[in-house]
Amino acid sequence: MFEEGQLYSPVTADADGGVQVHLGENHPGFRDEAYRARRNEIAAAAVAWEPGQPVPRIDYAEAEDEVWRIVSHELAPKHEQYAHSEYLAAKQALGLPAERVPQLDEVSSLINPLTGWSYIAAPGLVELRRFYAALGWRVFHSTQYVRHPSQPLYTPEPDIIHEVMGHANQLASPRFARLTEAAGVASTRLETDAGMQFLADVFWFSLEFGVIHEQGELKAYGAGILSSFGEMDAFRSMEIRPLDLVQMGTLNYDITAYQPVLFAADSLDQLEDVVGDFFDNCSDDSIAELRSKVPAA
């Protein structure tokens, strides 16, 4: 299982109101002072934001728009080849701009008429329960920074490209949007950390890294795959297992590498029947029962 927070760039605010994003030494932008200052500036806008206020608007530089443009154009043909038809239809309906980074309020204005979702700003990783509880209200916490320009097709952490190209396109589908909302509502029923982590891990192997059989081919619907140039080339060569809630909720995984094990639904209907039913009905007791079925080491 993934232990939240240890691999992302933490954000801190000091007593004087200064905000700092702490990049790891292996981060592409670690030695780029201008990039670090920009990350701090964007994070500070989210830290200062309060509910009820307009979502902060970021004046993106041409270099940031260029990263978005490169990724958008590189991912488009791979989506056509590898994405499930439900995701492709939702992407077309949403109509994100391809040439520039959209503002989060713009994303909300596009997606809300389709499925009722909206986006708000986050400075970095959001605490697990807070993030999932917001999903239950059809609200998605999104970072606003753009990955380092030296590696436009790679990011060691979720940036606005992942959270909008990956998740907003997915959330524009009523069926995927309902599954995501159900996961959020489920989180509010869970009191134990073990139950919450199990839920998050099932979400990881479905809405983040889920695959599905469609007309004899393996297609992706998970936002983590569909926002990753390299992962789309790699996912079909991974170990593909059938949906299994016990395994999905307890399998160890590394977020810094391509996922070596993926769980495939036979159809979108089966995904809703298995994962959707779990989200709709899970409790601490039912999750404890599922966890008890893990074979002894």
Side-chain angles (χ1 to χ4, degrees):
M1 293 181 291
F2 165 54
E3 295 184 8
E4 121 184 64
Q6 63 186 13
L7 295 173
Y8 293 113
S9 304
V11 179
T12 59
D14 59 33
D16 297 327
V19 174
Q20 183 174 359
V21 180
H22 300 269
L23 303 182
E25 291 186 9
N26 61 345
H27 192 286
F30 179 72
R31 292 177 175 81
D32 185 336
E33 293 299 325
Y35 181 77
R36 293 171 69 99
R38 180 61 166 162
R39 287 288 300 269
N40 294 344
E41 176 189 359
I42 292 175
V47 169
W49 177 80
E50 295 182 359
Q53 295 179 344
V55 174
R57 294 181 66 87
I58 305 300
D59 185 13
Y60 290 106
E62 171 56 29
E64 292 167 319
D65 283 336
E66 176 64 11
V67 172
W68 177 277
R69 188 156 46 242
I70 289 170
V71 178
S72 182
H73 286 286
E74 291 291 340
L75 291 187
K78 290 189 178 293
H79 284 171
E80 291 298 323
Q81 182 176 3
Y82 295 125
H84 187 269
S85 59
E86 181 77 10
Y87 182 95
L88 291 175
K91 177 183 178 180
Q92 182 175 7
L94 186 62
L96 291 171
E99 305 301 319
R100 59 174 176 81
V101 186
Q103 300 293 332
L104 292 187
D105 59 1
E106 181 183 4
V107 177
S108 294
S109 70
L110 291 171
I111 199 171
N112 192 270
L114 299 174
T115 58
W117 280 76
S118 61
Y119 268 59
I120 60 175
L125 184 69
V126 177
E127 187 273 328
L128 198 64
R129 287 187 178 275
R130 183 175 168 221
F131 177 81
Y132 275 89
L135 297 184
W137 292 99
R138 289 181 285 184
V139 172
F140 195 95
H141 285 87
S142 174
T143 55
Q144 293 176 285
Y145 70 88
V146 179
R147 61 194 60 179
H148 195 265
S150 67
Q151 299 186 43
L153 299 179
Y154 166 77
T155 177
E157 56 192 339
D159 67 343
I160 192 170
I161 291 174
H162 165 74
E163 312 215 276
V164 173
M165 283 193 199
H167 282 286
N169 282 326
Q170 184 189 67
L171 290 169
S173 153
R175 298 180 78 172
F176 291 139
R178 197 206 75 78
L179 285 170
T180 305
E181 180 185 2
V185 172
S187 74
T188 65
R189 299 193 301 268
L190 303 177
E191 298 181 1
T192 67
D193 290 343
M196 188 66 229
Q197 190 62 63
F198 191 101
L199 172 74
D201 290 340
V202 171
F203 187 94
W204 176 267
F205 283 112
S206 55
L207 277 305
E208 285 285 2
F209 285 90
V211 294
I212 191 166
H213 296 287
E214 184 177 32
Q215 296 182 348
E217 291 190 70
L218 189 67
K219 300 287 188 175
Y221 68 91
I225 298 175
L226 293 170
S227 61
S228 169
F229 181 88
E231 199 114 22
M232 274 190 279
D233 283 332
F235 80 90
R236 287 181 170 179
S237 64
M238 301 306 178
E239 180 184 348
I240 307 300
R241 301 180 184 178
L243 293 181
D244 184 313
L245 293 173
V246 173
Q247 292 185 39
M248 293 166 75
T250 58
L251 185 68
N252 290 325
Y253 56 93
D254 179 359
I255 68 169
T256 67
Y258 292 166
Q259 298 305 299
V261 176
L262 300 172
F263 294 90
D266 293 333
S267 65
L268 190 50
D269 287 343
Q270 190 206 23
L271 178 69
E272 291 175 318
D273 288 344
V274 176
V275 175
D277 182 72
F278 168 75
F279 289 155
D280 286 339
N281 297 293
C282 68
S283 64
D284 286 308
D285 289 342
S286 68
I287 289 175
E289 183 177 351
L290 288 171
R291 288 172 58 86
S292 72
K293 297 177 181 179
V294 178

